[in-house]
Amino acid sequence: YMVDTLARGLACLSAMCYPKPVIVRMSDFKTNEYATLLGGSDFEPDEENPMIGFRGASRYYNPRYRDGFKLECKAIRMVRETMGL
């Protein structure tokens, strides 16, 4: 569900810009933003300063987010290879 939904959203945005290239920024929510999502508080650490904490590249290469990053990459791959954008 997540891969299909993300891929469809990315495809809509990409199609609007076609034929110009689109730069996609992967999830870069702060821990306090993830914590507000359904079930997010069960997984996110409580940080004093979420702006410089567990986000961006530090999240992507962390084993705790590996599965989530794989899903994001699958969505990008679907947009590129299946949808042709």
Side-chain angles (χ1 to χ4, degrees), residues 35-52:
T36 62
L37 300 174
L38 183 63
S41 60
D42 295 335
F43 298 97
E44 292 301 313
D46 185 31
E47 297 181 309
E48 187 174 320
N49 188 347
M51 194 64 167
I52 59 172

Side-chain angles (χ1 to χ4, degrees), residues 4-78:
D4 290 337
T5 303
L6 181 57
R8 281 194 313 270
L10 291 170
C12 285
L13 294 172
S14 298
M16 288 189 314
C17 297
Y18 186 82
K20 296 177 185 174
V22 175
I23 298 172
V24 176
R25 185 173 177 180
M26 305 300 256
S27 292
D28 191 25
F29 293 129
K30 298 183 289 291
T31 52
N32 61 326
E33 293 169 333
Y34 271 119
T36 62
L37 300 174
L38 183 63
S41 60
D42 295 335
F43 298 97
E44 292 301 313
D46 185 31
E47 297 181 309
E48 187 174 320
N49 188 347
M51 194 64 167
I52 59 172
F54 187 51
R55 62 184 296 225
S58 66
R59 182 180 288 269
Y60 303 148
Y61 68 76
N62 189 293
R64 289 177 40 211
Y65 192 68
R66 181 172 289 143
D67 292 338
F69 188 58
K70 281 182 186 178
L71 293 174
E72 291 186 55
C73 291
K74 284 182 181 182
I76 294 287
R77 187 175 191 171
M78 179 183 284

